[in-house]
Amino acid sequence: MKKSLSRIFILTKRNLLEIIRDPLSLVFTLALPLFMEILFYLIFHNLTDQFQMKYLAPGIVVFSQAFLTLFTGILISTDRNTSFLTRLYVSNTKSYEFIFAYALSVLPITIIQSILFFLVGGIFDTSIFGLNMILAILLSIITSLFFIGMGILFGSICNEKSIGGVSSIVIVGQSVLSGMWFPLEGLSEGIITFMKILPFKNSTMLIQNMILGINNSFNDFILPLLIVLIYTVIAFVAAILLFKHKMKEK
Amino acid sequence: MEIIKINNLRKGYKDVIAVDNLNLEIHQGELFSLLGVNGAGKTTTIKMLSGLTKPTSGDAFIYDYSINKDIDKIKELIDISMQETAIARKLTVEENIVFYAKLSGQTKEEVEQTKEYVYRCFNLDKVKNKTASKLSGGWQRKLSIALALVKKPKILFLDEPTLGLDVISRRELWHTIRELKTKMTIILTTHYMEEAEALSDRVGIMKDGKLMFVGTIDELYKKTNKDNVEDAFIEIVSGGDLNEEITF
């Protein structure tokens, strides 16, 4: 057990270094969403509630997490294709240790994303600051797990060339189906129901409700959390099974 | 003393038999080269011996540990350098070595000793602070093989170690491998006949998963009546047909 924890820690540190030393990952996970947060607020906040900072900042937090799918996926597919994972497999590292390490290495980035986007949001709307913000940051760790799980899943099955395209499914899904960039009024019931059963809108809603305040604990918190958790568990179980299968195949 | 004993080892996929009833013994301290054309079963053999893939039937014993039953114990005694350059690309050379040493469970003092040992074997100290991705292909391959030494394995598997390298890098790597021969048993696969001749104590020639020849280079010449490895190899894998065609 002690050996296993030690291996997870060592792998996590290496993965984190690989991610933060890639300038592109910092651009897409931090700089681009930050730019969008400020730009969309400045242009649209007087036109629609959608872009008031108390809605926009939580939305941006979850939107930026979608890029974690891409960078987790790139890391894993590169490790697989260069036989780096094969080498580590001979060193007695187990599949679950790899999965834990990949997931843990991305969590510090999630926390930095949440803190950054809420702090900047709070400059424009000070009502964001407070206990709710801290709870929203903690909750964002849970929502990020879905995106990380998807990254591990895609990284296990895609090569370095296809991972970008496949991961964009999640990024586009988060953009279009989260409901953060356009008002839902006017959309058909079918589309809204579709959005409600997917994790994207529920993740965004969870963080937004945490900032705005929870009125109905079941509808505003428990139900969306449950839906996000179900998708997260499915993503991780599929990721673990496929990762193990690919390692054996290798 | 035989430290690897392979008994009727077989690996089959859906419609291909990659390794077919392989029987072989490898002695302590020797450098044994597995030769063969693409798809001959060399890499599959190495993968089975290092626990990366399970045999369909048969067994192999490494220091009397079975690859079917005791693979975790075997993994403590061996390491492998695959055909591809397997390094952490955004880490420096030193960080790569430290990372792999720590992952192998070494203490702080052991990590320091390992660093010195690996630097010495591969002359890596002059590039130790460089990011791995910024090294030339030759240095990256050197680092990749060097990482396989971090555990100080008793048996080292090198799968096509010089594949894709320029002639200077290849010769440098040969020199390093020759020095490693004195420290451990090495099992090497290669396409390059001159590489096998320059490095090997014994060679094994595989074709379609079967072992066609085992012996020293001199024994290979004697058996085939040829005076260079390439012709002798062709004689073994094509039954002489290809040599005759070329001569004609």
Side-chain angles (χ1 to χ4, degrees), chain A residues 52-107:
Chain A
Q52 284 181 16
M53 202 45 104
K54 60 188 172 186
Y55 295 99
L56 183 62
I60 286 285
V61 165
V62 184
F63 172 70
S64 66
Q65 291 178 348
F67 288 97
L68 299 179
T69 300
L70 175 65
F71 289 101
T72 314
I74 287 175
L75 182 63
I76 296 173
S77 63
T78 308
D79 283 353
R80 275 183 42 237
N81 292 321
T82 58
S83 285
F84 186 74
L85 280 183
T86 309
R87 146 157 289 151
L88 301 188
Y89 208 59
V90 178
S91 73
N92 261 339
T93 310
K94 307 285 183 281
S95 292
Y96 72 87
E97 294 169 352
F98 287 119
I99 303 273
F100 266 114
Y102 282 121
L104 287 173
S105 58
V106 190
L107 286 182

Side-chain angles (χ1 to χ4, degrees), chain B residues 175-190:
Chain B
H175 177 71
T176 310
I177 292 170
R178 272 196 204 101
E179 289 193 348
L180 290 178
K181 261 173 78 169
T182 59
K183 300 182 177 90
M184 61 195 69
T185 306
I186 299 175
I187 292 98
L188 175 146
T189 73
T190 184

Side-chain angles (χ1 to χ4, degrees), chain A residues 158-219:
Chain A
C158 296
N159 61 31
E160 288 166 277
K161 285 178 186 165
S162 62
I163 188 71
V166 175
S167 297
S168 67
I169 295 169
V170 171
I171 297 169
V172 170
Q174 182 57 35
S175 306
V176 177
L177 299 172
S178 68
M180 70 167 287
W181 299 113
F182 53 84
L184 299 186
E185 290 82 27
L187 292 180
S188 72
E189 273 300 311
I191 295 285
I192 293 175
T193 308
F194 182 61
M195 290 165 77
K196 281 182 179 171
I197 58 170
L198 290 175
F200 308 112
K201 179 167 173 47
N202 287 292
S203 297
T204 307
M205 237 171 76
L206 259 180
I207 308 297
Q208 282 177 335
N209 290 344
M210 196 50 76
I211 291 291
L212 297 169
I214 291 165
N215 297 320
N216 178 327
S217 58
F218 182 77
N219 285 334

